[in-house]
């Protein structure tokens, strides 16, 4: 009897203390993205970040009278935004290199290079990213000679904005151990050469491996620093999760080390880079999830073709502005088939970069072969980008139960030149989010940063308006492909969560899920479309804890 009363006393004593471990968030409006309860004014969650209840403020405060209060006033709360396709290591390294994004001429690029070079020790490589010849007056690929006069001795390696081409000067070319002259080409890549067969400084797709193997790799400490810079930039934009589309085993180790120290402010859904050591590690050790829940890897990222901007995307017919060129396969159909079969055998999700209609078709063929009679299972294999789709292949995405991982800002960045590349008929089936979604294909949205900005607000705006920052073209570029604000928000929340097998935990705000949310000064489902790109992020929360708060 004594033990019974002691237990009762302990339980009574524990009650009020336990309530203190509850936080009640109150806001003007909470968009839950949960169909059972689309809106609320209050949300309760425990110290671990698990959601306990949603509803009106009065009832939750009565239910948890000793709870902590988090009142965000007139702000709107939405589930944490998830970028379904980004590159955190590349974003982080871009902060440590010269930034060429937005440059409009070679002269502007040279000016930035000279400024950055002044900060480097003698003999150090000058690296950077972000150039786009489509934005220059001549709209032609550059050459090593464009860099040599200003930098005759310091080696330079500059990746194009899409990461599918690189530009080197002569000092960098001399550092490559292999003779680059002649007519030979690497598999899945192009070394651009002059009339005498000498490399002119531009390397496309797999040809970049020759330069990447020459440039000194960052050490472990630099890599971790780059990841931290990238993740802190991401949470400041309202991202609570990123699908890191293709990392090496070394990059996974860096993530693991940061996760062990509690230094991941957001959730990273990592994909092994290609059919290589990272996939082999997954096959040997099984699908990976860090105890913190902030890091996992259960996916392999494969590559079918190149990019449209550098004319490396594999097309079924010639480029409209480059007759005789149909792009290239980065991975051969045979190697793609072998990699997908291997991933299926290991229980690993497959996500394949496929931009051109020929690249997409090759991917569909490989998936159909690897999945066989199991195409209807809950495999959630993905096609990344799906930029130029042949009309007859859309039903195959549905039949194979695939996820379309698409990036709205690619359309608004590419629209000045995309029709010239594709012609008036093919362009109607380019960046076709509405056609894909209405066919019943699950849609996960992202940015492909640092090709584009990691800011998801720009993605919401592009998806809803199909206009650039100045509102052009009025009414939107091929406006039939627009999404509604709700559909776009869903693509960056539940859609991305589903693509990462995480919709049970995140993607919406519901009882039992994680308290990952963003506090916005404006309501993204109520403001005029033009204001979506300027929504103010007041705070970003992961597991109920602030990982970013605006000054």
């Amino acid at each position: 009897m004594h033990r019974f009363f002691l237990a009762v006393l302990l339980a009574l004593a524990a009650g009020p203390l336990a309530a203190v471990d509850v936080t009640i968030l109150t806001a003007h409006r909470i968009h839950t993205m949960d169909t059972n309860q689309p809106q609320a004014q209050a949300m309760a969650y425990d110290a671990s970040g698990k959601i306990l209840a949603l509803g009106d403020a009065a009832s939750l405060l009565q239910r948890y009278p000793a709870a902590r209060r988090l009142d965000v006033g007139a702000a709107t709360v939405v589930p944490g935004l998830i970028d379904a396709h980004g590159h955190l290591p590349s974003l982080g390294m871009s902060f440590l290199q010269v930034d060429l994004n937005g440059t409009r001429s070679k002269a502007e690029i040279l000016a930035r290079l000279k400024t950055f070079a002044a900060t480097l020790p003698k003999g150090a490589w000058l690296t950077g990213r972000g150039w786009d010849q489509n934005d220059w007056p001549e709209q032609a690929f550059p050459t090593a000679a464009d860099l040599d006069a200003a930098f005759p001795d310091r080696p330079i390696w500059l990746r194009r904005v899409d990461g599918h081409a690189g530009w080197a000067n002569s000092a960098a070319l001399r550092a490559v151990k292999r003779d680059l002259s002649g007519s030979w080409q690497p598999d899945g890549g192009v070394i651009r050469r002059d009339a005498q067969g000498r490399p002119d400084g531009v390397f496309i797709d797999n040809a970049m491996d020759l330069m990447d193997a020459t440039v000194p790799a960052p050490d472990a400490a630099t890599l971790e620093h780059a990841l931290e810079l990238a993740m802190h930039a991401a949470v400041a934009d309202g991202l609570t999760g990123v699908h890191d589309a293709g990392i090496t085993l070394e990059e996974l180790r860096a993530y693991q080390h940061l996760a062990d120290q509690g230094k991941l402010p957001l959730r990273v859904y990592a994909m092994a880079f290609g059919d290589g050591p990272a996939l082999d590690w997954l096959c040997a050790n099984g699908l990976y999830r860090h105890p913190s829940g902030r890091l996992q890897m259960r996916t392999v990222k494969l590559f079918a073709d190149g990019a449209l901007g550098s004319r490396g995307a594999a097309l079924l017919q010639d480029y409209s502005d480059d007759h005789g060129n149909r792009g290239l396969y980065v991975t051969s159909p045979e190697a793609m088939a072998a990699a997908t079969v291997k991933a299926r055998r290991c229980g690993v999700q497959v996500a394949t970069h496929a931009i051109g209609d020929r690249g997409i078709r090759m991917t569909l063929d490989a998936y159909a072969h690897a999945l066989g009679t199991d195409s209807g299972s809950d495999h959630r294999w993905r096609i990344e980008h799906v930029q130029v789709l042949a009309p007859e292949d859309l039903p195959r995405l549905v039949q194979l139960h695939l996820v379309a991982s698409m990036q709205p800002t690619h359309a608004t960045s590419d629209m000045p030149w995309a029709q010239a590349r594709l012609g008036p008929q093919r362009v109607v089936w380019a960046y076709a989010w509405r056609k894909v979604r209405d066919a019943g294909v699950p849609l996960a949205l992202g940015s492909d940063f640092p090709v584009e900005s990691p800011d998801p607000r720009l993605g919401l705006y592009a998806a809803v308006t199909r206009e650039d920052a100045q509102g052009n073209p009025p009414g939107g570029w091929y406006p039939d492909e627009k999404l509604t604000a709700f559909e776009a928000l869903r693509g960056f929340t539940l859609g991305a969560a589903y693509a990462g097998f995480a919709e049970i935990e995140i993607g919406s705000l519901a009882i039992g899920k994680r308290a990952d949310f963003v506090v916005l000064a404006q309501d993204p489902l109520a403001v005029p479309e033009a204001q979506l790109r300027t929504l103010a992020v007041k705070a970003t929360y992961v597991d109920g804890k602030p990982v970013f708060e605006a000054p």
Side-chain angles (χ1 to χ4, degrees):
M1 186 66 70
H2 173 71
R3 290 180 180 176
F4 171 77
F5 284 113
L6 179 61
V8 171
L9 289 172
L10 288 173
L12 290 172
L17 291 174
V20 176
D21 289 333
V22 174
T23 298
I24 293 181
L25 163 73
T26 52
H28 172 67
R29 181 176 291 115
I30 300 173
H31 289 298
T32 69
M33 303 306 290
D34 177 19
T35 55
N36 294 319
Q37 189 175 8
Q39 291 188 9
Q41 290 73 47
M43 178 173 71
Y45 56 88
D46 65 19
S48 73
K50 182 180 179 180
I51 297 174
L52 303 173
L54 296 107
D56 64 90
S59 61
L60 263 63
L61 289 169
Q62 183 178 15
R63 184 173 172 184
Y64 301 101
R68 298 181 184 87
R69 290 290 307 277
L70 174 60
D71 183 18
V72 297
T76 296
V77 171
V78 299
L81 301 173
I82 305 165
D83 192 311
H85 187 114
H87 303 277
L88 286 164
S90 295
L91 177 63
M93 290 304 299
S94 72
F95 296 132
L96 306 177
Q97 302 170 340
V98 61
D99 179 12
L100 303 178
N101 283 285
T103 49
R104 297 291 172 178
S105 67
K106 295 174 189 174
E108 187 178 353
I109 286 174
L110 285 171
R112 291 196 193 185
L113 292 175
K114 290 175 182 176
T115 300
F116 196 86
T119 69
L120 297 176
K122 184 178 180 180
W125 280 71
L126 177 53
T127 58
R129 178 171 180 155
W131 61 272
D132 185 353
Q133 82 283 0
N134 296 307
D135 293 337
W136 304 343
E138 63 273 27
Q139 293 190 341
F141 274 125
T143 66
D146 296 317
L147 301 171
D148 289 345
F151 299 95
D153 301 314
R154 185 188 294 278
I156 298 177
W157 177 234
L158 310 171
R159 297 182 80 88
R160 191 179 181 278
V161 63
D162 59 9
H164 285 266
W167 174 20
N169 68 343
S170 293
L173 295 176
R174 290 192 295 269
V176 178
K177 297 294 191 289
R178 182 171 179 178
D179 182 5
L180 300 174
S181 61
S183 60
W184 65 274
Q185 294 290 358
D187 291 338
V190 174
I191 302 171
R192 288 178 59 88
R193 296 186 174 92
D194 61 19
Q196 286 73 44
R198 297 171 299 198
D200 71 1
V202 171
F203 297 73
I204 297 174
D205 287 309
N206 287 356
M208 293 189 297
D209 295 345
L210 294 161
M211 290 304 309
D212 289 338
T214 306
V215 181
D219 58 25
T222 301
L223 178 55
E224 288 189 21
H225 179 51
L227 290 176
E228 289 191 274
L229 290 174
M231 290 187 289
H232 287 296
V235 296
D237 284 331
L239 291 173
T240 61
V242 169
H243 295 189
D244 200 332
I247 68 166
T248 64
L249 204 51
E250 291 75 20
E251 288 165 342
L252 176 63
R253 298 294 183 233
Y255 272 129
Q256 289 173 318
H257 189 234
L258 291 171
D260 289 342
Q261 301 174 76
K263 292 184 177 180
L264 294 190
L266 77 174
R267 303 186 194 280
V268 177
Y269 186 79
M271 306 178 192
F273 183 87
D275 185 2
L279 175 58
D280 292 340
W281 184 85
L282 275 181
C283 288
N285 296 280
L287 307 184
Y288 173 77
R289 181 183 174 97
H290 190 270
S292 66
R294 299 279 178 98
L295 172 66
Q296 59 180 313
M297 188 164 76
R298 57 176 300 164
T299 308
V300 62
K301 165 76 176 303
L302 302 177
F303 297 84
D305 60 355
L308 201 62
S310 48
R311 297 186 182 87
L315 300 180
L316 293 168
Q317 302 296 327
D318 292 359
Y319 277 84
S320 296
D321 59 357
D322 189 11
H323 295 293
N325 179 16
R326 295 189 178 186
L328 49 85
Y329 286 143
V330 171
T331 305
S332 70
E334 296 77 17
M336 179 68 73
T340 51
V341 167
K342 175 180 177 179
R344 180 65 177 164
R345 184 175 66 248
C346 297
V348 172
Q349 180 192 34
V350 181
T352 299
H353 164 115
I355 287 181
D357 48 15
R358 185 162 60 101
I360 293 171
R361 183 165 297 176
M362 187 257 276
T363 302
L364 292 170
D365 291 343
Y367 283 10
H369 171 71
L371 292 169
T373 58
D374 292 332
S375 62
S377 64
D378 190 25
H379 53 79
R380 305 190 197 185
W381 285 17
R382 305 162 46 150
I383 298 185
E384 307 298 310
H385 310 308
V386 202
Q387 278 186 18
V388 186
L389 185 64
E392 60 269 28
D393 283 335
L394 178 55
R396 298 185 69 193
L397 271 72
V398 180
Q399 293 159 6
L400 290 170
H401 292 82
L402 303 183
V403 175
S405 173
M406 305 178 79
Q407 300 75 43
T409 48
H410 277 334
T412 50
S413 292
D414 297 356
M415 63 187 181
W417 47 262
Q419 182 155 330
R421 290 281 193 281
L422 300 171
Q425 293 180 320
R426 278 185 300 194
V427 77
V428 174
W429 281 82
Y431 316 91
W433 321 311
R434 168 61 60 195
K435 290 185 181 72
V436 170
R437 186 189 182 281
D438 286 355
V441 180
L443 197 61
L445 299 182
S447 67
D448 198 13
F449 67 75
V451 178
E452 306 282 354
S453 166
D455 190 340
R457 292 166 291 187
L458 305 185
L460 293 172
Y461 171 81
V464 170
T465 67
R466 291 179 74 96
E467 297 174 351
D468 64 15
Q470 289 72 44
N472 294 314
W477 183 63
Y478 291 94
D480 288 349
E481 295 301 328
K482 291 180 182 179
L483 299 177
T484 67
F486 178 84
E487 290 167 341
L489 183 60
R490 194 181 193 282
F492 278 102
T493 53
L494 266 177
Y498 175 83
F501 291 92
E503 76 280 7
I504 295 176
E505 288 187 291
I506 56 176
S508 64
L509 300 173
I511 294 173
K513 289 194 172 188
R514 309 307 303 170
D516 292 3
F517 57 89
V518 184
V519 182
L520 300 170
Q522 303 86 14
D523 185 343
L525 301 186
V527 298
E529 294 175 349
Q531 294 180 22
L532 285 169
R533 63 180 290 114
T534 57
L535 295 169
V537 176
K538 300 187 71 173
T540 306
Y541 282 71
V542 176
D543 285 325
K545 305 292 192 301
V547 293
F548 167 77
E549 293 178 288

